């Protein structure tokens, strides 16, 4: 994510940093031996912090807000089939091959299913088919965080746009390039 004093530290306050935080927390939530993951710096202090010193959420704060809504109940096994990319090694991170541009984390609490869709493609929208197996969907709400420029580091309260809509279970769910989408589904009892 960052190196103290590194030349890319400023990206932690960008939407790209928010996608990274969401993806790291997604990976940690899937680990059976991890019970707690805490965000290091909530208050804004130059590059770091989820909340700017003027009180508005930075992109990472918006991502953490979605994750707060998602991480209730039990983590479910979920999968996604998506285009892949190969990435170069960076620092101690090995080069990756066939890394999906879309990841998902799902939870269930009673009759409520929640899925966070992390779409990292910088150019192309994604089209997601949701299968709730034998469940009957009674309602579904979609909250999506998007931005104009995934590398925007202007550090204003207008970097991230929040969109709310409903979803019909017979439709594909379209996700914007470089976006975070929280789908909340209510199932019939």
């Amino acid at each position: 994510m960052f190196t103290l004093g590194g030349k890319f530290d400023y990206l932690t306050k960008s939407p790209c940093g928010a996608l990274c935080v969401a993806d790291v927390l997604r990976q940690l939530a899937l680990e059976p031996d991890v019970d707690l993951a805490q965000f290091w710096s909530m208050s804004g202090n130059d590059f770091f912090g989820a909340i700017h010193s003027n009180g508005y959420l930075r992109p990472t704060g918006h991502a953490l807000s979605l994750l707060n809504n998602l991480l209730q109940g039990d983590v479910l096994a979920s999968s996604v089939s998506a285009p892949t990319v190969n990435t170069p090694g960076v620092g101690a991170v090995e080069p990756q091959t066939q890394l999906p541009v879309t990841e998902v984390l799902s939870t269930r609490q009673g009759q409520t299913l929640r899925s966070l869709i992390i779409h990292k493609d910088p150019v192309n929208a994604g089209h997601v088919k949701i299968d709730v197996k034998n469940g009957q969907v009674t309602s579904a709400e979609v909250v999506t965080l998007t931005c104009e420029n995934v590398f925007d580091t202007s550090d204003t309260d207008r970097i991230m746009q929040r969109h709310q809509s409903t979803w019909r279970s017979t439709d594909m769910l379209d996700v914007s390039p470089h976006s975070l989408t929280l789908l909340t589904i209510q199932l019939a009892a």
Side-chain angles (χ1 to χ4, degrees), residues 80-81 117 125-131 140 142 165-175 181 183:
V80 64
S81 177
I117 301 158
H127 311 287
V128 181
K129 181 178 186 234
I130 309 292
D131 183 1
V142 179
S165 62
T166 57
W167 173 75
R168 293 184 324 199
S169 60
T170 57
D171 294 344
M172 295 285 276
L173 179 62
D174 295 326
V175 291
T181 300
L183 173 63

Side-chain angles (χ1 to χ4, degrees), residues 7-18 46-48 52 56 58-60 147-160:
K7 63 181 180 177
F8 296 111
D9 284 354
Y10 66 96
L11 289 174
T12 61
K13 62 183 176 182
S14 72
C16 179
D46 199 17
F47 298 138
F48 307 108
H52 191 274
Y56 60 82
R58 286 177 159 167
T60 300
C147 62
E148 292 293 320
N149 177 359
V150 74
F151 298 109
D152 185 346
T153 59
S154 62
D155 207 14
T156 68
D157 62 349
R158 295 181 186 93
I159 294 175
M160 300 297 287

Side-chain angles (χ1 to χ4, degrees), residues 85-99:
V85 295
N86 297 331
T87 63
V90 177
V93 177
E94 299 280 327
Q96 301 294 309
T97 58
Q98 298 187 359
L99 189 67

Side-chain angles (χ1 to χ4, degrees), residues 19 66 70 103-105 114-119 128 141-146 163 165 173-176 178-184:
L19 287 171
L66 284 186
L70 169 74
E103 301 281 3
V104 66
L105 177 63
R114 296 177 183 90
S115 290
L116 180 68
I117 301 158
I118 304 169
H119 187 60
V128 181
E141 177 187 78
V142 179
V143 176
T144 302
L145 296 176
T146 62
H163 310 276
S165 62
L173 179 62
D174 295 326
V175 291
S176 302
H178 49 74
S179 64
L180 295 172
T181 300
L182 179 63
L183 173 63
T184 303

